[in-house]
Amino acid sequence: MKREGPIALLMISGVLYIVSVMLASPVMEPVAATLDDWYKIVVGFINLVGIISLTQVNGRAVLRKSSGWFYNALLIVVLYGYIILGLVGGVGNVAFTRIYDNILTPILMTIFSTLTFWIGSAAYRAFRAKNLDAAILLVAGIVVMIGRVTLGSAISPAIPKAAEWILNFPTVAGMRAIEMGAAIGGIVLALRMITGLERSFMSND
Amino acid sequence: MIKEGMLLTFILEVLMGIALLVLVSRARAGKKIPVIHEIAGLTALQEAVGRATEMGTPIMFVPGKGDLADAQTYAALPVLDYVAKSCAEYDTRIIVPTGVAVVHPVADAVTRQAFQAAGKGDSYRETDVRFINEQNWAWAAGITGIMEREKVAAQILFGAFWAESLFLAESGNRAGAMQIAGTASTSQIPFFVAACDYTLIGQEIFAASAYLNPEPSTTGGLVVQDWGKMLGLALVILGAILATFGNNTLAEFMLK
């Protein structure tokens, strides 16, 4: 029953959801919206699980005085301090918004900005012409890069046109083929779950 | 009555559902079904576990940034189950950093049950399945930190990823970890291809569960997936020919 109950629930809710999305019926139409609302409520409660996990992992490191335990302690103080600040002062209070806008956002943007360098190092490896495929990728990459800046049209008006062609035809064709395949894979996975055939993520026999 | 624009999807789902049930019953009855082709990235999962076991360092399994409304998350969980079972068998540590609170308890349960199924329930460390942050850059920075501190031997990235994909894959590359990635997020596939040793592209991740657990109920699904692709390809070719000759019958039918 521990396993059959959730599978039965999954099958019923899956079929109801598909039917409500596909059928133009006044009775069925609100079903998908209601199930979406239930999901949001469950997600709201489950955020607590995340907080508990953070507290467990970092609290244990502090108690054991593991290497760098000061950072674990800082995380716990900031986590609960910010929750208390939001609960007491409301999410619109000045301290709450300033901490978010002036501390968290710049830190996150700093991490984001390092992506530029990662792109450089990944592109270097991807563009090394070790075989025919990599050589084609290299040529296409150079044409697209030069064609997207003014240098491309200064060299020849054909380069921006070639760049546009690469982006609009081979790239779009490849992307759509992957998207179609993934959509079909998603449908089959959903069908396997709804019919109770896919249950490996639920429990082990 | 079917909603506008949903007729083709409805027909496809019904056809694929029927094909799935027929193939599964055929496979269960011991009748022949088409053979599954090999997916190098999935075969390499054992190599990743072996590498971590030899090096005596952990494996990192990143289940993506999708929530439980994302099919890619469900595609990643059976892979986590498989990797966790292998890790348990070889007494290798597995770290699962989650970035979506709703996925965390599921990832925790899958990993715990995999250890229990391998008879190593006591070896499971619940702090190794850890929630990092819902914010993707904070999550990615947390994973990078764990990667550097724990000197992970292999990183397995499976599920839905956004801009943080390259950050994770390049950090893993810098740390010298063997990397296997799988995603259907089309904009992130090139980054994984450039930075990882093996990459599963698009629908391959949905085939992973069936490939790793080759039972009649799962292999039937794989065959239906391939048939669906062939049908999609046939429709594309037919639609292109008809449109070239000015006939929009198929395009109009698809919009019904």
Side-chain angles (χ1 to χ4, degrees):
Chain A
M1 191 58 202
K2 195 180 168 188
R3 198 177 183 194
E4 280 73 20
I7 289 171
L9 204 61
L10 175 69
M11 289 167 81
I12 294 165
S13 52
V15 170
L16 278 176
Y17 198 94
I18 289 179
V19 169
S20 68
V21 166
M22 291 200 173
L23 286 191
S25 153
V27 181
M28 290 309 298
E29 269 181 23
V31 173
T34 308
L35 287 172
D36 280 338
D37 287 343
W38 287 1
Y39 177 73
K40 283 174 199 160
I41 293 165
V42 172
V43 168
F45 277 107
I46 285 181
N47 279 330
L48 276 174
V49 178
I51 295 172
I52 292 166
S53 169
L54 276 172
T55 312
Q56 272 181 338
V57 172
N58 293 285
R60 204 164 289 187
V62 173
L63 290 174
R64 288 181 183 166
K65 292 266 166 67
S66 308
S67 162
W69 67 270
F70 171 77
Y71 299 106
N72 302 93
L74 187 65
L75 187 141
I76 291 174
V77 170
V78 170
L79 173 69
Y80 286 98
Y82 202 60
I83 290 173
I84 293 165
L85 188 64
L87 288 174
V88 174
V91 289
N93 86 69
V94 179
F96 191 86
T97 50
R98 282 203 176 160
I99 288 172
Y100 191 90
D101 294 340
N102 300 327
I103 298 177
L104 186 67
T105 305
I107 289 172
L108 294 175
M109 287 307 103
T110 305
I111 301 166
F112 180 42
S113 64
T114 60
L115 207 55
T116 313
F117 305 102
W118 293 131
I119 288 174
S121 61
Y124 170 71
R125 278 200 308 281
F127 286 164
R128 272 184 300 179
K130 288 181 290 187
N131 50 41
L132 182 65
D133 293 351
I136 292 169
L137 186 68
L138 173 67
V139 173
I142 289 171
V143 170
V144 170
M145 278 192 287
I146 296 176
R148 305 289 281 177
V149 293
T150 47
L151 177 69
S153 52
I155 296 169
S156 164
I159 294 177
K161 282 181 188 166
E164 284 299 309
W165 183 84
I166 289 169
L167 289 173
N168 291 338
F169 294 97
T171 309
V172 169
M175 287 288 188
R176 285 189 185 167
I178 292 169
E179 280 168 12
M180 278 172 58
I184 289 164
I187 290 174
V188 174
L189 178 68
L191 287 171
R192 286 210 312 256
M193 288 167 72
I194 289 169
T195 51
L197 296 170
E198 176 64 65
R199 50 180 77 179
S200 56
F201 60 88
M202 275 194 167
S203 70
N204 296 297
D205 288 318
Chain B
M1 193 58 68
I2 306 291
K3 279 184 193 169
E4 199 180 332
M6 284 287 177
L7 184 62
L8 185 70
T9 315
F10 178 76
I11 293 171
L12 269 177
E13 291 208 5
V14 170
L15 283 178
M16 288 164 91
I18 293 168
L20 179 70
L21 293 175
V22 169
L23 276 168
V24 168
S25 55
R26 273 183 69 87
R28 280 183 177 160
K31 291 180 182 168
K32 199 178 168 189
I33 62 164
V35 181
I36 306 169
H37 68 278
E38 192 173 296
I39 299 173
L42 295 173
T43 314
L45 289 172
Q46 277 298 337
E47 189 188 330
V49 176
R51 186 174 195 264
T53 308
E54 278 177 16
M55 291 173 71
T57 51
I59 269 198
M60 174 102 83
F61 188 99
V62 184
K65 198 72 179 71
D67 60 11
L68 290 182
D70 194 322
Q72 294 190 63
T73 307
Y74 291 98
L77 293 171
V79 184
L80 170 61
D81 175 58
Y82 176 82
V83 176
K85 264 185 205 160
S86 301
C87 285
E89 279 166 19
Y90 293 107
D91 287 320
T92 300
R93 210 174 137 207
I94 178 169
I95 301 173
V96 186
T98 58
V100 183
V102 75
V103 174
H104 180 78
V106 184
D108 181 58
V110 168
T111 315
R112 186 192 303 269
Q113 285 168 6
F115 271 73
Q116 285 167 351
K120 300 278 179 70
D122 293 340
S123 306
Y124 175 70
R125 299 188 200 186
E126 60 181 24
T127 50
D128 276 349
V129 180
R130 54 183 83 162
F131 175 73
I132 306 286
N133 201 297
E134 285 267 356
Q135 215 295 334
N136 59 345
W137 293 111
W139 176 63
I143 292 171
T144 308
I146 296 168
M147 213 170 337
E148 294 286 341
R149 284 193 301 275
E150 305 280 358
K151 309 277 178 233
V152 297
Q155 178 173 231
I156 299 163
L157 303 140
F158 246 86
F161 290 87
W162 280 268
E164 71 285 343
S165 65
L166 185 65
F167 188 92
L168 295 171
E170 274 297 285
S171 303
N173 202 293
R174 187 170 161 269
M178 177 186 172
Q179 299 198 97
I180 302 167
T183 188
S185 310
T186 44
S187 56
Q188 307 309 319
I189 291 170
F191 295 133
F192 281 149
V193 171
C196 297
D197 299 294
Y198 297 92
T199 306
L200 277 82
I201 295 170
Q203 55 91 28
E204 285 180 338
I205 70 162
F206 298 108
S209 168
Y211 184 89
L212 298 171
N213 304 293
E215 296 164 7
S217 60
T218 53
T219 44
L222 264 188
V223 177
V224 174
Q225 204 168 307
D226 279 349
W227 285 357
K229 273 195 298 180
M230 286 179 212
L231 181 64
L233 186 64
L235 284 174
V236 168
I237 293 169
L238 183 64
I241 293 169
L242 288 174
T244 306
F245 291 101
N247 186 330
N248 291 323
T249 315
L250 187 62
E252 282 162 13
F253 174 72
M254 284 181 169
L255 293 172
K256 275 187 182 173

